[in-house]
Amino acid sequence: MINKLTQLLSAANISLSDQQKQQLVGYVELLHKWNKAYNLTSVRDPQEMLVRHILDSIVVNPSLTGNRFIDVGTGPGLPGVPLAIVRPDSHFTLLDSLGKRIRFLRQVQFALGLQNIEPVQSRVEAFSGEPAFDGVISRAFASLSDMVNWCHHLPGREGRFYALKGQHPAEEIAALPPQFQVTDVVELKVPQLEGERHLVIIKAL
């Protein structure tokens, strides 16, 4: 699996250390193992997980600014865990309301020795978010309007919302409340992944 990951990283022009590659593969192995009992993802094949979960998560890394992030509706830790591995100097709060997902993430934290993630079981509306975050990240979590409405209390003054989307979400962007502005829409290239991927970056006015 490490060879496949190395090929994908090379195709995406991403350079990682051997330890980071081992951690990413270790995460996929844990996800595959726990998925049988916990049903954490619909992707069953570990090779496919490398493309659809690992690469799809870490291609957003160059667009992130700051070092305190919260991954809302993280599920089994996507994109938070892969991003925490490739950004060891950043801290990621992994927020999900389901206990089984948080139990899995605590196991990931322990097994991979990740000091820079904090799994938290909470609904996003009930989470205080102090101190404020540099970035609020979501992947397949909600519409842009729901995201900013539910998470408006989480970013700091210079903080940003980062929404990972498939096709360019023109209608969702048009429906954003007026106090929020899209600062960038980044077209993402994920090797061996069919379909469009976009990162929408939003700030509060």
Side-chain angles (χ1 to χ4, degrees):
M1 196 151 45
I2 207 100
N3 292 341
K4 163 98 171 183
L5 177 61
T6 301
Q7 288 171 353
L8 290 167
L9 292 170
S10 175
N13 289 321
I14 296 171
S15 173
L16 297 179
S17 71
D18 286 343
Q19 184 193 4
Q20 287 171 313
K21 291 179 193 175
Q22 291 288 357
Q23 286 178 316
L24 288 170
V25 167
Y27 171 62
V28 167
E29 288 170 345
L30 285 166
L31 187 54
H32 180 59
K33 179 178 158 188
W34 280 59
N35 203 34
K36 294 175 179 130
Y38 274 51
N39 200 24
L40 297 165
T41 167
S42 60
V43 182
R44 301 289 179 210
D45 177 15
Q47 302 280 342
E48 206 179 331
M49 288 179 187
L50 289 175
V51 175
R52 291 177 56 182
H53 289 336
I54 302 300
L55 262 288
D56 193 49
S57 294
I58 63 177
V59 289
V60 305
N61 181 40
S63 301
L64 304 180
T65 52
N67 56 24
R68 285 195 78 249
F69 298 93
I70 181 166
D71 178 9
V72 292
T74 187
L78 297 163
V81 169
L83 284 171
I85 290 170
V86 302
R87 290 177 80 96
D89 296 332
S90 295
H91 185 272
F92 288 81
T93 298
L94 307 177
L95 195 72
D96 203 276
S97 59
L98 272 186
K100 69 176 183 178
R101 293 174 181 158
I102 298 303
R103 285 194 293 278
F104 168 68
L105 289 171
R106 291 201 179 113
Q107 179 62 31
V108 167
Q109 184 178 27
F110 172 75
L112 302 182
L114 293 178
Q115 304 293 323
N116 62 331
I117 64 170
E118 182 186 0
V120 176
Q121 184 179 353
S122 172
R123 295 185 63 80
V124 65
E125 307 94 304
F127 183 68
S128 70
E130 290 294 325
F133 291 93
D134 299 322
V136 179
I137 305 172
S138 83
R139 177 180 186 254
F141 168 63
S143 71
L144 295 177
S145 290
D146 283 346
M147 182 187 180
V148 296
N149 284 328
W150 294 340
C151 307
H152 63 88
H153 59 299
L154 297 176
R157 182 179 292 274
E158 295 299 314
R160 295 287 186 269
F161 297 92
Y162 299 94
L164 283 74
K165 294 285 182 181
Q167 292 180 320
H168 188 294
E171 290 181 6
E172 289 186 31
I173 290 172
L176 272 172
Q179 65 270 36
F180 295 94
Q181 178 187 359
V182 172
T183 60
D184 202 1
V185 180
V186 182
E187 187 175 349
L188 302 168
K189 291 277 183 262
V190 184
Q192 298 184 23
L193 185 69
E194 290 183 14
E196 297 177 32
R197 304 297 287 150
H198 291 85
L199 176 68
V200 184
I201 305 175
I202 301 168
K203 71 172 182 180
L205 299 176

